[in-house]
Amino acid sequence: MAKDKFPYSFKVTAASVVNKDQTVVVAPDEAGLKAIAEAFDLEAARGLKAEFTLKPYRKAGLRVVGPVTATIAQVCVVSLEPFESSLKLDVDRTFEAHSGKPGKIRDLNEDGEIEVDLESLDPPDVIVDGVLDLGAVICEELALSLDPFPRKPGVAFEGGVADADDEVAEKKPSPFAALQALKDGKET
């Protein structure tokens, strides 16, 4: 999925949040839910709702805080049965109107490398043309939270890797058994 191409969009003007917090509830309609489900290989997405509080951040930025809840239906990679699960994601992200001087990449050291401090907060994302797409925020958070190999609760993969000839696989000694035999042979 391209960075600027999300299956759902809900845009707000950053300038509308000036000196006080603003609450925004985002709930995609049926077409939006269907587009999100298709984009993320879900059987279905239902009850998707975000209750964001938009807070002023620095001079022209925004902080987006609040929960995203949904019920999603996926297909189990083990049993191939569809199953539903509930999601509750806590969003806390910051956005700035610009990311530094035009044409300059942020956070490069003198060697031209990006330095990452694992103890610091993530740098703010960018508000493009004064507009923040809360639909894109929801889609990004959802994409990051989905298990790429979903399993229905209680289902486990049994049997391990199947060989072409299961009887030969059963008779093959464990490499650890061979090591134990060498050890036992040296001690006697």
Side-chain angles (χ1 to χ4, degrees):
M1 181 177 338
K3 182 177 169 109
D4 297 331
K5 185 73 174 161
F6 292 97
Y8 178 68
S9 181
F10 186 96
K11 296 181 179 182
V12 295
T13 305
S16 66
V17 182
V18 182
N19 293 327
K20 63 179 182 171
D21 296 355
Q22 179 180 343
T23 301
V24 177
V25 176
V26 182
D29 59 8
E30 286 299 316
L33 291 171
K34 184 177 179 185
I36 290 169
E38 287 176 4
F40 297 114
D41 292 327
L42 302 172
E43 289 291 301
R46 289 185 279 285
L48 180 60
K49 180 179 174 182
E51 295 181 31
F52 290 139
T53 300
L54 307 180
K55 303 175 179 229
Y57 177 76
R58 296 188 178 166
K59 290 182 180 179
L62 289 177
R63 182 172 172 209
V64 178
V65 180
V68 175
T69 56
T71 300
I72 60 168
Q74 295 176 287
V75 174
C76 175
V77 295
V78 176
S79 67
L80 301 179
E81 297 174 334
F83 70 99
E84 287 190 353
S85 57
S86 297
L87 289 177
K88 182 173 188 274
L89 312 171
D90 293 317
V91 176
D92 188 351
R93 292 179 52 186
T94 54
F95 297 84
E96 284 184 326
H98 58 82
S99 62
K101 295 178 183 175
K104 181 181 177 191
I105 299 175
R106 298 181 76 186
D107 302 328
L108 295 181
N109 64 16
E110 59 262 1
D111 296 328
E113 298 171 340
I114 297 174
E115 291 183 1
V116 177
D117 180 8
L118 298 177
E119 299 298 318
S120 71
L121 296 173
D122 289 336
D125 290 312
V126 179
I127 297 172
V128 179
D129 297 328
V131 176
L132 177 59
D133 189 351
L134 295 178
V137 172
I138 292 169
C139 291
E140 288 172 349
E141 294 292 328
L142 184 62
L144 290 171
S145 70
L146 291 174
D147 184 351
F149 304 104
R151 284 192 183 176
K152 186 176 181 177
V155 173
F157 182 70
E158 295 180 19
V161 178
D163 287 336
D165 186 2
D166 288 337
E167 289 179 23
V168 173
E170 289 177 16
K171 294 178 185 178
K172 211 185 286 185
S174 160
F176 296 109
L179 288 173
Q180 185 64 42
L182 285 173
K183 181 179 173 187
D184 292 342
K186 287 183 181 180
E187 290 181 359
T188 56

